[in-house]
Amino acid sequence: MRWLFALACSLLLAGAAHAQRIQFRDITAKAGIHFTHNNGAFGKKFLPETMGPGCAFIDYDNDGWPDIVLVNGEDWPGHAKSGGTTLKMYHNNHDGTFTDVTRKTGLAVPMYGLGVTVGDYDNDGFDDLFITALGQSHLFHNNGNGTFTDATKAAGLWGPSEFSTSAAWVDYDRDGRLDLVVANYVQWSEKGDLYCTLDGAHKSYCTPESYKGSSARLWRNLGNGKFEDTTQKANFYDPTSKSLGVAILDSNGDGWPDILLANDTQPNKLYLNKHDGTFEEKGISTGIGFSEDGVARAGMGVDAGDYDRSGHPSIIITNFANQMLSLYHNEGNGLFVDEAPRSEVGRATLVTLGFGCFFFDYDNDGWADIFVADGHIENEIERVQKRVTYAEPPHVFRNLGAGKFQEVTESLGAAFASPKVARGAAYADIDDDGALDVLLTTNGGVAHLFHSEGGTNHSLRVKLVGTKSNRDGIGAVVRVTSGKDQQWQMVHSGSSYLSQSELVLTFGLGAADQADAMEVHWRSGQVDKLSNVPASQTVTIQEGKGIVASHAYTKPRATSEKIK
Protein backbone atom coordinates (compact mmCIF):
# COMPACT_ATOMS: atom_id res chain seq x y z
CA MET A 1 0.00 0.00 0.00
CA ARG A 2 3.01 2.29 0.48
CA TRP A 3 3.49 2.57 -3.31
CA LEU A 4 -0.14 3.67 -3.71
CA PHE A 5 0.40 6.48 -1.21
CA ALA A 6 3.60 7.52 -2.99
CA LEU A 7 1.80 7.54 -6.33
CA ALA A 8 -1.00 9.69 -4.96
CA CYS A 9 1.50 12.16 -3.51
CA SER A 10 3.41 12.36 -6.78
CA LEU A 11 0.21 13.11 -8.70
CA LEU A 12 -0.68 15.90 -6.30
CA LEU A 13 2.80 17.35 -6.47
CA ALA A 14 2.79 17.17 -10.26
CA GLY A 15 -0.54 18.97 -10.32
CA ALA A 16 0.67 21.69 -7.97
CA ALA A 17 3.91 22.16 -9.86
CA HIS A 18 2.05 22.46 -13.16
CA ALA A 19 -0.42 24.95 -11.71
CA GLN A 20 2.49 27.17 -10.59
CA ARG A 21 3.71 27.43 -14.19
CA ILE A 22 0.41 28.98 -15.32
CA GLN A 23 -0.41 32.53 -14.28
CA PHE A 24 -3.47 34.66 -14.86
CA ARG A 25 -1.98 38.14 -15.27
CA ASP A 26 -4.22 41.18 -14.82
CA ILE A 27 -3.96 43.05 -18.12
CA THR A 28 -7.07 45.22 -17.66
CA ALA A 29 -5.38 48.63 -17.77
CA LYS A 30 -2.87 47.63 -20.45
CA ALA A 31 -5.72 46.26 -22.55
CA GLY A 32 -7.56 49.59 -22.39
CA ILE A 33 -10.51 48.35 -20.32
CA HIS A 34 -11.70 51.26 -18.19
CA PHE A 35 -14.98 50.31 -16.57
CA THR A 36 -16.54 50.83 -13.15
CA HIS A 37 -19.90 49.30 -12.34
CA ASN A 38 -22.61 51.70 -11.22
CA ASN A 39 -25.09 49.92 -8.94
CA GLY A 40 -26.82 53.20 -8.07
CA ALA A 41 -26.29 52.74 -4.32
CA PHE A 42 -26.86 55.88 -2.27
CA GLY A 43 -27.46 54.47 1.21
CA LYS A 44 -30.96 53.02 0.98
CA LYS A 45 -29.68 49.47 0.32
CA PHE A 46 -32.13 48.53 -2.41
CA LEU A 47 -31.97 44.82 -3.25
CA PRO A 48 -30.98 45.15 -6.97
CA GLU A 49 -27.81 47.03 -6.01
CA THR A 50 -26.16 43.84 -4.81
CA MET A 51 -26.74 41.71 -7.90
CA GLY A 52 -24.83 42.94 -10.98
CA PRO A 53 -23.09 43.16 -13.26
CA GLY A 54 -22.70 40.50 -15.93
CA CYS A 55 -20.23 40.31 -18.80
CA ALA A 56 -19.85 38.56 -22.14
CA PHE A 57 -17.58 37.77 -25.05
CA ILE A 58 -19.02 38.31 -28.53
CA ASP A 59 -17.32 38.44 -31.92
CA TYR A 60 -19.76 41.07 -33.12
CA ASP A 61 -17.87 41.93 -36.34
CA ASN A 62 -16.91 38.36 -37.32
CA ASP A 63 -13.19 39.09 -37.47
CA GLY A 64 -12.39 35.96 -35.46
CA TRP A 65 -11.39 37.83 -32.29
CA PRO A 66 -13.70 37.97 -29.23
CA ASP A 67 -14.92 41.40 -28.19
CA ILE A 68 -16.12 42.33 -24.69
CA VAL A 69 -19.49 43.44 -23.31
CA LEU A 70 -19.73 44.79 -19.76
CA VAL A 71 -23.26 45.35 -18.44
CA ASN A 72 -23.93 48.39 -16.25
CA GLY A 73 -26.58 49.77 -13.94
CA GLU A 74 -27.67 53.37 -13.58
CA ASP A 75 -28.56 55.94 -10.94
CA TRP A 76 -31.84 55.71 -9.09
CA PRO A 77 -34.41 58.39 -10.06
CA GLY A 78 -33.77 61.54 -8.07
CA HIS A 79 -30.33 60.39 -6.95
CA ALA A 80 -28.06 61.13 -9.90
CA LYS A 81 -24.38 60.87 -9.06
CA SER A 82 -22.58 59.40 -12.07
CA GLY A 83 -23.52 61.65 -14.94
CA GLY A 84 -25.12 58.72 -16.74
CA THR A 85 -23.88 55.17 -17.31
CA THR A 86 -24.56 52.52 -19.92
CA LEU A 87 -23.16 49.12 -20.80
CA LYS A 88 -19.76 49.06 -22.53
CA MET A 89 -18.69 47.35 -25.75
CA TYR A 90 -14.95 46.93 -26.30
CA HIS A 91 -13.58 45.95 -29.71
CA ASN A 92 -10.63 43.53 -29.80
CA ASN A 93 -7.70 45.16 -31.64
CA HIS A 94 -5.89 41.82 -32.22
CA ASP A 95 -2.86 42.98 -30.23
CA GLY A 96 -3.98 42.46 -26.64
CA THR A 97 -5.76 45.82 -26.46
CA PHE A 98 -9.39 46.87 -26.80
CA THR A 99 -11.16 50.05 -27.93
CA ASP A 100 -14.39 51.41 -26.43
CA VAL A 101 -16.91 51.37 -29.29
CA THR A 102 -20.09 51.65 -27.21
CA ARG A 103 -21.48 54.78 -28.85
CA LYS A 104 -20.20 53.83 -32.31
CA THR A 105 -22.10 50.54 -32.12
CA GLY A 106 -25.32 52.15 -30.88
CA LEU A 107 -25.28 50.39 -27.51
CA ALA A 108 -25.19 53.47 -25.25
CA VAL A 109 -28.78 52.86 -24.13
CA PRO A 110 -29.68 53.78 -20.52
CA MET A 111 -31.11 50.94 -18.41
CA TYR A 112 -30.51 49.26 -15.08
CA GLY A 113 -28.77 46.36 -16.76
CA LEU A 114 -27.90 43.09 -15.04
CA GLY A 115 -27.18 40.19 -17.42
CA VAL A 116 -26.30 39.40 -21.02
CA THR A 117 -26.53 36.52 -23.47
CA VAL A 118 -25.20 36.17 -27.03
CA GLY A 119 -26.77 34.41 -30.02
CA ASP A 120 -27.68 34.86 -33.70
CA TYR A 121 -31.46 34.77 -33.35
CA ASP A 122 -32.22 35.53 -37.03
CA ASN A 123 -29.48 33.32 -38.54
CA ASP A 124 -27.99 36.18 -40.56
CA GLY A 125 -24.42 35.30 -39.56
CA PHE A 126 -23.97 38.04 -36.95
CA ASP A 127 -24.43 37.48 -33.21
CA ASP A 128 -27.03 39.55 -31.40
CA LEU A 129 -27.27 40.67 -27.76
CA PHE A 130 -30.00 40.32 -25.18
CA ILE A 131 -29.50 42.45 -22.06
CA THR A 132 -31.55 41.65 -18.96
CA ALA A 133 -32.51 44.50 -16.69
CA LEU A 134 -34.50 45.69 -13.74
CA GLY A 135 -37.58 46.88 -15.64
CA GLN A 136 -37.49 46.46 -19.41
CA SER A 137 -34.89 44.10 -20.86
CA HIS A 138 -33.54 44.81 -24.36
CA LEU A 139 -32.81 42.86 -27.54
CA PHE A 140 -30.11 44.41 -29.72
CA HIS A 141 -29.99 43.21 -33.33
CA ASN A 142 -26.57 43.10 -34.95
CA ASN A 143 -26.86 44.91 -38.27
CA GLY A 144 -23.69 43.35 -39.67
CA ASN A 145 -21.99 46.70 -40.23
CA GLY A 146 -20.57 47.25 -36.76
CA THR A 147 -23.78 48.67 -35.31
CA PHE A 148 -26.73 47.37 -33.31
CA THR A 149 -30.41 48.34 -33.36
CA ASP A 150 -32.73 48.05 -30.36
CA ALA A 151 -35.20 45.47 -31.68
CA THR A 152 -37.09 44.86 -28.44
CA LYS A 153 -40.40 46.29 -29.64
CA ALA A 154 -40.13 44.97 -33.20
CA ALA A 155 -39.43 41.47 -31.86
CA GLY A 156 -42.48 41.49 -29.59
CA LEU A 157 -40.38 41.41 -26.42
CA TRP A 158 -41.52 44.78 -25.13
CA GLY A 159 -43.81 44.90 -22.10
CA PRO A 160 -42.63 42.76 -19.18
CA SER A 161 -41.20 44.96 -16.43
CA GLU A 162 -39.43 42.47 -14.22
CA PHE A 163 -36.31 41.83 -12.14
CA SER A 164 -34.58 39.82 -14.88
CA THR A 165 -31.23 38.20 -14.23
CA SER A 166 -29.53 35.54 -16.36
CA ALA A 167 -30.69 34.54 -19.84
CA ALA A 168 -29.78 31.99 -22.51
CA TRP A 169 -30.49 31.25 -26.15
CA VAL A 170 -31.73 27.71 -26.83
CA ASP A 171 -33.44 25.99 -29.76
CA TYR A 172 -35.81 24.09 -27.50
CA ASP A 173 -38.08 22.85 -30.31
CA ARG A 174 -35.19 22.06 -32.71
CA ASP A 175 -36.64 24.07 -35.59
CA GLY A 176 -33.31 25.73 -36.38
CA ARG A 177 -34.19 29.04 -34.71
CA LEU A 178 -32.90 30.23 -31.36
CA ASP A 179 -35.50 30.71 -28.65
CA LEU A 180 -34.88 32.70 -25.47
CA VAL A 181 -35.17 31.81 -21.79
CA VAL A 182 -35.05 34.67 -19.27
CA ALA A 183 -34.67 34.11 -15.54
CA ASN A 184 -36.51 36.41 -13.15
CA TYR A 185 -35.64 36.95 -9.50
CA VAL A 186 -38.29 38.38 -7.17
CA GLN A 187 -41.11 40.90 -7.19
CA TRP A 188 -39.33 44.05 -6.03
CA SER A 189 -39.97 47.74 -6.53
CA GLU A 190 -38.52 50.89 -5.01
CA LYS A 191 -41.94 51.66 -3.55
CA GLY A 192 -42.28 48.15 -2.11
CA ASP A 193 -38.75 47.96 -0.70
CA LEU A 194 -38.68 46.34 2.75
CA TYR A 195 -36.61 47.11 5.84
CA CYS A 196 -34.20 44.38 6.92
CA THR A 197 -31.36 44.49 9.42
CA LEU A 198 -28.40 42.34 10.43
CA ASP A 199 -27.68 43.94 13.80
CA GLY A 200 -31.07 45.36 14.76
CA ALA A 201 -29.84 48.93 14.37
CA HIS A 202 -28.95 49.51 10.72
CA LYS A 203 -30.68 48.68 7.45
CA SER A 204 -29.13 45.83 5.47
CA TYR A 205 -29.94 44.17 2.18
CA CYS A 206 -32.92 41.84 2.48
CA THR A 207 -32.70 38.17 1.57
CA PRO A 208 -35.10 36.90 -1.11
CA GLU A 209 -37.35 35.23 1.49
CA SER A 210 -38.75 38.72 2.11
CA TYR A 211 -40.19 38.94 -1.40
CA LYS A 212 -42.51 36.92 -3.60
CA GLY A 213 -41.02 34.89 -6.42
CA SER A 214 -41.36 35.44 -10.14
CA SER A 215 -41.58 32.95 -13.00
CA ALA A 216 -38.88 32.72 -15.65
CA ARG A 217 -40.06 33.42 -19.19
CA LEU A 218 -39.72 31.36 -22.34
CA TRP A 219 -39.87 33.13 -25.70
CA ARG A 220 -40.30 31.03 -28.87
CA ASN A 221 -38.68 32.35 -32.04
CA LEU A 222 -41.33 32.59 -34.77
CA GLY A 223 -38.74 32.99 -37.53
CA ASN A 224 -39.79 36.40 -38.80
CA GLY A 225 -37.82 38.47 -36.31
CA LYS A 226 -40.59 38.08 -33.75
CA PHE A 227 -41.01 36.06 -30.57
CA GLU A 228 -44.01 34.53 -28.83
CA ASP A 229 -44.29 34.20 -25.04
CA THR A 230 -44.79 30.44 -24.57
CA THR A 231 -44.11 30.36 -20.82
CA GLN A 232 -47.47 28.91 -19.90
CA LYS A 233 -48.04 26.93 -23.10
CA ALA A 234 -44.70 25.13 -22.57
CA ASN A 235 -45.46 24.33 -18.90
CA PHE A 236 -42.61 26.61 -17.91
CA TYR A 237 -44.59 28.93 -15.64
CA ASP A 238 -43.75 28.83 -11.92
CA PRO A 239 -44.22 32.01 -9.83
CA THR A 240 -42.49 30.44 -6.82
CA SER A 241 -39.09 30.54 -8.54
CA LYS A 242 -36.44 33.10 -7.60
CA SER A 243 -33.98 32.42 -10.39
CA LEU A 244 -30.48 33.84 -10.80
CA GLY A 245 -28.69 31.35 -13.06
CA VAL A 246 -29.65 29.54 -16.29
CA ALA A 247 -27.90 26.57 -17.88
CA ILE A 248 -28.81 24.61 -20.98
CA LEU A 249 -27.91 20.92 -21.01
CA ASP A 250 -29.08 17.59 -22.34
CA SER A 251 -29.35 16.01 -18.92
CA ASN A 252 -30.72 12.64 -20.04
CA GLY A 253 -28.94 12.27 -23.37
CA ASP A 254 -32.09 12.20 -25.52
CA GLY A 255 -30.81 14.83 -27.95
CA TRP A 256 -33.19 17.56 -26.76
CA PRO A 257 -32.08 20.59 -24.68
CA ASP A 258 -33.25 20.81 -21.08
CA ILE A 259 -33.28 24.00 -18.98
CA LEU A 260 -31.85 24.34 -15.48
CA LEU A 261 -32.68 27.28 -13.21
CA ALA A 262 -30.55 28.01 -10.14
CA ASN A 263 -32.96 29.38 -7.54
CA ASP A 264 -32.24 31.51 -4.49
CA THR A 265 -33.87 30.00 -1.34
CA GLN A 266 -36.24 27.98 -3.53
CA PRO A 267 -35.58 24.50 -4.97
CA ASN A 268 -33.53 24.49 -8.17
CA LYS A 269 -35.61 23.58 -11.22
CA LEU A 270 -34.73 21.17 -14.03
CA TYR A 271 -37.12 21.36 -16.97
CA LEU A 272 -36.91 18.19 -19.07
CA ASN A 273 -37.76 18.64 -22.73
CA LYS A 274 -40.73 16.47 -23.79
CA HIS A 275 -40.02 16.90 -27.55
CA ASP A 276 -43.44 18.45 -28.21
CA GLY A 277 -42.80 22.08 -27.26
CA THR A 278 -43.44 21.47 -23.56
CA PHE A 279 -41.36 20.71 -20.49
CA GLU A 280 -41.73 18.67 -17.32
CA GLU A 281 -40.11 19.99 -14.15
CA LYS A 282 -37.99 17.33 -12.39
CA GLY A 283 -35.60 19.23 -10.12
CA ILE A 284 -36.48 17.48 -6.89
CA SER A 285 -36.93 13.98 -8.30
CA THR A 286 -33.55 14.13 -10.09
CA GLY A 287 -31.76 15.26 -6.92
CA ILE A 288 -30.77 18.84 -7.74
CA GLY A 289 -33.62 20.66 -6.01
CA PHE A 290 -32.17 20.61 -2.50
CA SER A 291 -28.95 20.05 -0.61
CA GLU A 292 -28.21 16.63 0.85
CA ASP A 293 -29.98 17.60 4.07
CA GLY A 294 -33.12 18.75 2.24
CA VAL A 295 -32.51 22.50 2.30
CA ALA A 296 -33.24 24.84 -0.61
CA ARG A 297 -29.98 26.75 -0.87
CA ALA A 298 -29.27 30.19 -2.28
CA GLY A 299 -28.36 29.22 -5.85
CA MET A 300 -26.59 31.92 -7.87
CA GLY A 301 -24.49 30.80 -10.84
CA VAL A 302 -24.63 27.52 -12.72
CA ASP A 303 -22.89 25.53 -15.43
CA ALA A 304 -22.98 22.03 -16.89
CA GLY A 305 -20.11 19.91 -18.16
CA ASP A 306 -18.68 16.39 -18.23
CA TYR A 307 -15.85 16.77 -15.73
CA ASP A 308 -15.16 13.04 -15.31
CA ARG A 309 -15.58 11.91 -18.95
CA SER A 310 -18.57 9.78 -18.01
CA GLY A 311 -20.42 10.82 -21.15
CA HIS A 312 -23.04 12.67 -19.11
CA PRO A 313 -23.22 16.40 -18.18
CA SER A 314 -22.81 17.13 -14.49
CA ILE A 315 -23.74 20.41 -12.82
CA ILE A 316 -22.15 23.07 -10.61
CA ILE A 317 -24.24 25.65 -8.74
CA THR A 318 -22.77 28.41 -6.59
CA ASN A 319 -24.48 29.11 -3.28
CA PHE A 320 -24.49 31.52 -0.35
CA ALA A 321 -21.84 31.68 2.37
CA ASN A 322 -21.91 28.68 4.74
CA GLN A 323 -23.60 26.52 2.08
CA MET A 324 -20.70 25.37 -0.17
CA LEU A 325 -20.73 24.85 -3.92
CA SER A 326 -23.03 22.18 -5.35
CA LEU A 327 -21.27 19.61 -7.54
CA TYR A 328 -24.07 17.42 -8.86
CA HIS A 329 -22.66 14.36 -10.58
CA ASN A 330 -24.84 12.91 -13.33
CA GLU A 331 -25.23 9.23 -12.55
CA GLY A 332 -26.54 8.47 -16.04
CA ASN A 333 -29.82 7.04 -14.77
CA GLY A 334 -31.80 10.24 -14.38
CA LEU A 335 -30.33 11.05 -10.96
CA PHE A 336 -27.72 13.52 -9.72
CA VAL A 337 -25.60 13.11 -6.56
CA ASP A 338 -23.88 16.06 -4.88
CA GLU A 339 -20.19 15.16 -4.62
CA ALA A 340 -19.15 18.49 -3.09
CA PRO A 341 -19.45 17.49 0.60
CA ARG A 342 -16.95 14.66 0.02
CA SER A 343 -14.48 16.70 -2.01
CA GLU A 344 -12.10 19.62 -1.71
CA VAL A 345 -14.56 21.60 -3.83
CA GLY A 346 -17.07 21.54 -1.00
CA ARG A 347 -14.65 22.17 1.85
CA ALA A 348 -12.97 25.12 0.12
CA THR A 349 -16.26 26.84 -0.77
CA LEU A 350 -18.05 26.46 2.55
CA VAL A 351 -17.44 29.99 3.81
CA THR A 352 -17.31 31.92 0.52
CA LEU A 353 -20.32 33.27 -1.39
CA GLY A 354 -20.15 32.24 -5.05
CA PHE A 355 -21.65 33.93 -8.10
CA GLY A 356 -20.18 33.38 -11.59
CA CYS A 357 -18.91 29.85 -12.26
CA PHE A 358 -17.97 27.59 -15.13
CA PHE A 359 -16.20 24.45 -16.22
CA PHE A 360 -13.15 25.29 -18.36
CA ASP A 361 -9.88 23.55 -19.13
CA TYR A 362 -7.48 26.27 -18.01
CA ASP A 363 -4.34 24.13 -18.41
CA ASN A 364 -5.40 22.37 -21.65
CA ASP A 365 -4.80 18.89 -20.26
CA GLY A 366 -8.15 17.60 -21.50
CA TRP A 367 -9.94 17.64 -18.13
CA ALA A 368 -12.57 20.25 -17.22
CA ASP A 369 -11.50 22.42 -14.29
CA ILE A 370 -13.79 24.67 -12.20
CA PHE A 371 -13.76 28.45 -11.76
CA VAL A 372 -15.85 30.28 -9.14
CA ALA A 373 -16.17 34.06 -8.67
CA ASP A 374 -16.78 35.04 -5.03
CA GLY A 375 -17.97 38.10 -3.15
CA HIS A 376 -20.52 38.83 -0.43
CA ILE A 377 -23.56 41.13 -0.76
CA GLU A 378 -23.24 42.86 2.61
CA ASN A 379 -20.22 45.14 3.10
CA GLU A 380 -20.47 44.89 6.89
CA ILE A 381 -20.88 41.14 7.10
CA GLU A 382 -17.72 40.80 9.22
CA ARG A 383 -19.54 42.52 12.09
CA VAL A 384 -21.91 39.59 12.52
CA GLN A 385 -20.00 36.65 10.94
CA LYS A 386 -16.32 36.72 11.81
CA ARG A 387 -15.31 34.01 9.31
CA VAL A 388 -17.04 35.68 6.35
CA THR A 389 -15.65 38.67 4.43
CA TYR A 390 -17.13 41.11 1.93
CA ALA A 391 -14.35 40.78 -0.65
CA GLU A 392 -13.28 37.19 -1.29
CA PRO A 393 -10.72 35.43 -3.49
CA PRO A 394 -11.99 33.37 -6.42
CA HIS A 395 -11.60 29.61 -6.60
CA VAL A 396 -9.93 27.54 -9.30
CA PHE A 397 -10.11 23.78 -8.85
CA ARG A 398 -7.78 21.77 -11.05
CA ASN A 399 -9.26 18.51 -12.25
CA LEU A 400 -6.95 15.64 -11.24
CA GLY A 401 -9.09 12.99 -12.94
CA ALA A 402 -11.07 10.21 -11.26
CA GLY A 403 -13.51 12.83 -9.94
CA LYS A 404 -10.84 14.57 -7.82
CA PHE A 405 -10.09 18.29 -7.69
CA GLN A 406 -7.32 20.35 -6.11
CA GLU A 407 -7.59 24.08 -5.39
CA VAL A 408 -4.75 25.94 -7.14
CA THR A 409 -5.97 29.55 -6.88
CA GLU A 410 -3.00 30.95 -4.97
CA SER A 411 -0.54 29.56 -7.51
CA LEU A 412 -2.17 31.42 -10.40
CA GLY A 413 -0.97 34.91 -9.46
CA ALA A 414 -1.33 37.38 -6.61
CA ALA A 415 -3.65 39.77 -8.49
CA PHE A 416 -5.86 36.93 -9.66
CA ALA A 417 -6.09 35.40 -6.18
CA SER A 418 -6.71 38.71 -4.39
CA PRO A 419 -10.09 39.29 -2.67
CA LYS A 420 -12.81 40.90 -4.80
CA VAL A 421 -16.54 41.57 -4.60
CA ALA A 422 -17.02 39.53 -7.77
CA ARG A 423 -20.21 38.76 -9.67
CA GLY A 424 -20.13 37.94 -13.40
CA ALA A 425 -17.46 35.79 -15.05
CA ALA A 426 -16.77 34.54 -18.56
CA TYR A 427 -13.90 33.02 -20.55
CA ALA A 428 -12.48 33.32 -24.07
CA ASP A 429 -9.17 33.14 -25.91
CA ILE A 430 -8.65 36.87 -26.41
CA ASP A 431 -5.28 36.74 -28.21
CA ASP A 432 -5.46 33.57 -30.31
CA ASP A 433 -2.86 31.56 -28.41
CA GLY A 434 -5.07 28.56 -27.66
CA ALA A 435 -5.47 29.19 -23.92
CA LEU A 436 -8.55 30.51 -22.15
CA ASP A 437 -8.49 33.93 -20.51
CA VAL A 438 -10.92 35.13 -17.82
CA LEU A 439 -13.13 38.22 -17.58
CA LEU A 440 -14.47 39.11 -14.15
CA THR A 441 -16.80 41.87 -12.93
CA THR A 442 -17.17 43.31 -9.44
CA ASN A 443 -20.21 44.88 -7.83
CA GLY A 444 -19.80 48.64 -7.64
CA GLY A 445 -16.20 48.25 -8.80
CA VAL A 446 -13.93 47.65 -11.76
CA ALA A 447 -13.83 44.80 -14.25
CA HIS A 448 -10.76 42.54 -14.50
CA LEU A 449 -9.32 40.88 -17.60
CA PHE A 450 -6.88 38.07 -16.78
CA HIS A 451 -4.57 36.69 -19.45
CA SER A 452 -3.43 33.07 -19.20
CA GLU A 453 0.36 32.74 -19.42
CA GLY A 454 2.88 29.94 -19.09
CA GLY A 455 0.91 26.93 -20.28
CA THR A 456 2.58 24.39 -22.57
CA ASN A 457 -0.16 21.91 -23.49
CA HIS A 458 -1.70 21.72 -26.95
CA SER A 459 -5.28 22.66 -27.74
CA LEU A 460 -7.72 22.67 -30.65
CA ARG A 461 -10.44 25.28 -31.06
CA VAL A 462 -13.70 24.60 -32.89
CA LYS A 463 -16.19 27.09 -34.30
CA LEU A 464 -19.48 25.75 -35.65
CA VAL A 465 -21.63 27.19 -38.42
CA GLY A 466 -25.09 25.69 -38.68
CA THR A 467 -27.18 25.48 -41.85
CA LYS A 468 -30.25 23.40 -40.99
CA SER A 469 -29.43 23.95 -37.32
CA ASN A 470 -29.16 27.45 -35.88
CA ARG A 471 -26.25 29.43 -37.29
CA ASP A 472 -24.21 29.39 -34.03
CA GLY A 473 -24.54 25.62 -33.66
CA ILE A 474 -25.94 26.12 -30.17
CA GLY A 475 -26.96 22.71 -28.85
CA ALA A 476 -24.53 20.79 -31.08
CA VAL A 477 -22.17 18.32 -29.40
CA VAL A 478 -18.52 17.97 -30.46
CA ARG A 479 -16.69 14.76 -29.53
CA VAL A 480 -12.90 14.60 -29.72
CA THR A 481 -10.68 11.51 -29.52
CA SER A 482 -6.93 11.81 -29.03
CA GLY A 483 -5.14 8.54 -28.35
CA LYS A 484 -7.08 6.85 -25.58
CA ASP A 485 -8.59 10.14 -24.39
CA GLN A 486 -12.16 10.97 -25.27
CA GLN A 487 -13.93 14.21 -24.37
CA TRP A 488 -16.93 16.20 -25.52
CA GLN A 489 -18.52 19.61 -25.17
CA MET A 490 -21.86 21.12 -26.13
CA VAL A 491 -22.06 24.60 -27.62
CA HIS A 492 -24.25 26.48 -25.17
CA SER A 493 -25.44 29.96 -24.41
CA GLY A 494 -25.92 31.32 -20.89
CA SER A 495 -24.42 29.62 -17.81
CA SER A 496 -22.17 31.28 -15.20
CA TYR A 497 -24.02 34.22 -13.58
CA LEU A 498 -25.51 37.03 -15.69
CA SER A 499 -22.75 36.26 -18.19
CA GLN A 500 -21.80 34.58 -21.47
CA SER A 501 -18.52 32.94 -22.45
CA GLU A 502 -17.43 32.64 -26.08
CA LEU A 503 -19.26 30.17 -28.32
CA VAL A 504 -16.04 28.76 -29.81
CA LEU A 505 -15.10 25.47 -28.08
CA THR A 506 -11.56 24.87 -26.80
CA PHE A 507 -10.37 21.28 -26.38
CA GLY A 508 -7.20 20.71 -24.37
CA LEU A 509 -5.11 17.92 -25.88
CA GLY A 510 -2.23 17.73 -23.41
CA ALA A 511 0.87 16.42 -25.20
CA ALA A 512 -1.04 15.22 -28.26
CA ASP A 513 -0.41 17.17 -31.44
CA GLN A 514 -3.68 16.26 -33.12
CA ALA A 515 -7.22 15.06 -32.61
CA ASP A 516 -7.32 11.57 -34.08
CA ALA A 517 -11.07 11.75 -34.58
CA MET A 518 -13.82 14.35 -34.26
CA GLU A 519 -17.58 14.08 -34.51
CA VAL A 520 -20.09 16.93 -34.59
CA HIS A 521 -23.63 15.94 -33.67
CA TRP A 522 -25.91 18.73 -34.84
CA ARG A 523 -29.38 19.25 -33.45
CA SER A 524 -30.80 18.67 -36.94
CA GLY A 525 -29.59 15.06 -36.73
CA GLN A 526 -26.64 15.67 -39.07
CA VAL A 527 -23.37 14.05 -37.95
CA ASP A 528 -20.07 15.29 -39.40
CA LYS A 529 -16.98 13.11 -38.91
CA LEU A 530 -13.36 14.19 -39.25
CA SER A 531 -10.00 12.57 -38.62
CA ASN A 532 -6.38 13.59 -37.96
CA VAL A 533 -7.09 17.25 -37.20
CA PRO A 534 -3.85 19.02 -36.17
CA ALA A 535 -3.69 20.88 -32.85
CA SER A 536 -2.73 24.54 -32.33
CA GLN A 537 -5.37 25.87 -34.68
CA THR A 538 -8.97 27.03 -34.89
CA VAL A 539 -11.17 25.11 -37.32
CA THR A 540 -14.54 26.26 -38.60
CA ILE A 541 -16.92 23.36 -39.25
CA GLN A 542 -20.02 23.95 -41.34
CA GLU A 543 -22.98 21.63 -40.94
CA GLY A 544 -22.85 18.95 -43.61
CA LYS A 545 -19.58 20.18 -45.13
CA GLY A 546 -16.92 19.57 -42.46
CA ILE A 547 -13.99 21.98 -42.10
CA VAL A 548 -14.50 25.04 -44.29
CA ALA A 549 -11.80 27.25 -42.76
CA SER A 550 -8.85 26.98 -40.41
CA HIS A 551 -5.97 29.03 -39.13
CA ALA A 552 -3.00 28.33 -36.90
CA TYR A 553 -2.84 30.23 -33.62
CA THR A 554 -1.29 33.67 -33.90
CA LYS A 555 0.70 33.12 -30.70
CA PRO A 556 1.12 29.35 -30.27
CA ARG A 557 2.22 27.97 -26.94
CA ALA A 558 5.59 26.38 -26.32
CA THR A 559 6.36 22.69 -26.84
CA SER A 560 3.83 20.59 -24.97
CA GLU A 561 4.57 18.30 -22.08
CA LYS A 562 2.68 15.37 -20.66
CA ILE A 563 0.96 16.24 -17.38
CA LYS A 564 -1.33 13.30 -16.69
Side-chain angles (χ1 to χ4, degrees), residues 383-526:
R383 294 174 54 188
V384 292
Q385 295 187 37
K386 301 303 181 184
R387 294 196 308 159
V388 180
T389 60
Y390 182 46
E392 301 171 332
H395 295 289
V396 173
F397 297 99
R398 182 169 184 262
N399 193 333
L400 302 177
K404 304 295 184 183
F405 290 89
Q406 176 189 21
E407 180 159 20
V408 294
T409 312
E410 291 187 0
S411 72
L412 298 177
F416 179 79
S418 66
K420 305 170 186 67
V421 186
R423 294 294 185 265
Y427 60 79
D429 178 6
I430 65 165
D431 59 344
D432 198 31
D433 66 354
L436 294 175
D437 311 298
V438 174
L439 179 64
L440 188 66
T441 64
T442 63
N443 183 257
V446 300
H448 296 273
L449 181 60
F450 293 101
H451 179 243
S452 175
E453 300 178 353
T456 55
N457 282 330
H458 287 157
S459 68
L460 175 64
R461 286 168 53 77
V462 180
K463 178 182 179 179
L464 299 186
V465 177
T467 51
K468 292 182 180 179
S469 303
N470 66 84
R471 178 82 179 196
D472 283 323
I474 288 175
V477 171
V478 180
R479 302 185 185 278
V480 171
T481 301
S482 182
K484 295 181 180 180
D485 293 336
Q486 295 183 341
Q487 54 181 307
W488 66 275
Q489 296 181 47
M490 185 180 79
V491 181
H492 62 282
S493 170
S495 282
S496 190
Y497 171 78
L498 308 179
S499 300
Q500 169 81 58
S501 295
E502 67 175 348
L503 294 174
V504 177
L505 301 179
T506 299
F507 289 91
L509 299 180
D513 59 6
Q514 71 172 23
D516 300 327
M518 289 179 59
E519 290 186 359
V520 183
H521 294 254
W522 301 88
R523 280 297 168 248
S524 66
Q526 170 73 26

Side-chain angles (χ1 to χ4, degrees), residues 50 125 159 173 195 393:
T50 69
D173 53 1
Y195 180 89

Side-chain angles (χ1 to χ4, degrees), residues 28 65 97 101 132 161 175 183 191 209 212 248 260 282 298 332 349 411 442 449 479 481 527 555:
T28 315
W65 296 73
T97 68
V101 292
T132 66
S161 181
D175 64 356
K191 182 179 179 180
E209 292 102 330
K212 293 181 179 180
I248 308 300
L260 179 109
K282 290 288 187 178
T349 58
S411 72
T442 63
L449 181 60
R479 302 185 185 278
T481 301
V527 178
K555 299 177 180 179

